[in-house]
């Protein structure tokens, strides 16, 4: 999920992933931007995360929970700005749907990791 080549594969777009504290993450040709703040191998990634249209970053934590030869991935995003730089309201449902449809479903389609139904 953090290797630049794999991100390019599942997003089918240019990507940058500098996996180190202070390194940047860009997906979908820069539409998604993040800065890695904490990396705990196989456990957690904490980053500042935003769409390029946002002035401010949100806080994003991706937790990896191992069990029975598998892994559950939980994404928590907090401190989401209320409006983007154009004054448009930011809808949390769109962010949730975007992660599911454009990231997790694409990872499933390319790499075969199963997706939990909700």
């Amino acid at each position: 999920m953090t290797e630049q080549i794999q991100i390019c594969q599942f997003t089918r777009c240019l990507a940058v992933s500098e996996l180190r504290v202070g390194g940047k993450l860009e997906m979908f040709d820069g539409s998604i931007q993040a800065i890695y703040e904490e990396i705990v191998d196989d456990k957690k990634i904490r980053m500042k995360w935003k769409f390029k249209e946002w002035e401010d970053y949100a806080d994003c934590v991706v937790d990896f929970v191992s069990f029975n030869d598998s892994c559950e991935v939980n994404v928590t995003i907090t401190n989401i700005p209320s409006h983007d730089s154009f004054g448009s309201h930011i809808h949390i449902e769109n962010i949730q749907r975007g992660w599911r449809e454009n990231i997790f479903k694409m990872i499933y389609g390319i790499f075969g990791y199963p997706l939990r139904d909700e």
Side-chain angles (χ1 to χ4, degrees):
M1 191 170 154
T2 57
E3 292 186 27
Q4 186 167 314
I5 296 288
Q6 289 182 330
I7 295 169
C8 290
Q9 289 173 324
F10 74 76
T11 63
R12 298 182 179 150
C13 294
L14 295 175
V16 174
S17 181
E18 301 167 346
L19 189 60
R20 60 178 165 70
V21 173
K24 69 180 176 179
L25 169 66
E26 291 183 0
M27 299 188 322
F28 301 104
D29 293 330
S31 292
I32 302 288
Q33 303 171 354
I35 301 168
Y36 293 111
E37 293 189 308
E38 179 182 14
I39 302 161
V40 180
D41 289 342
D42 301 324
K43 298 284 184 196
K44 174 170 67 171
I45 298 171
R46 186 171 50 85
M47 59 187 143
K48 292 291 188 184
W49 182 94
K50 72 178 196 138
F51 287 97
K52 71 178 177 183
E53 295 86 10
W54 294 6
E55 292 180 10
D56 299 317
Y57 284 90
D59 296 311
C60 179
V61 176
V62 182
D63 287 305
F64 303 93
V65 181
S66 297
F67 64 96
N68 299 336
D69 294 330
S70 188
C71 179
E72 181 175 290
V73 179
N74 297 304
V75 178
T76 305
I77 302 175
T78 57
N79 299 318
I80 298 169
S82 60
H83 293 82
D84 64 19
S85 59
F86 301 108
S88 299
H89 183 71
I90 295 171
H91 297 277
I92 294 171
E93 302 82 27
N94 292 343
I95 296 168
Q96 292 170 328
R97 186 173 45 256
W99 272 85
R100 185 163 182 80
E101 299 293 322
N102 299 316
I103 296 176
F104 292 117
K105 279 192 177 179
M106 297 305 289
I107 289 172
Y108 168 73
I110 299 295
F111 304 112
Y113 298 119
L115 194 62
R116 184 175 65 188
D117 291 330
E118 289 187 326

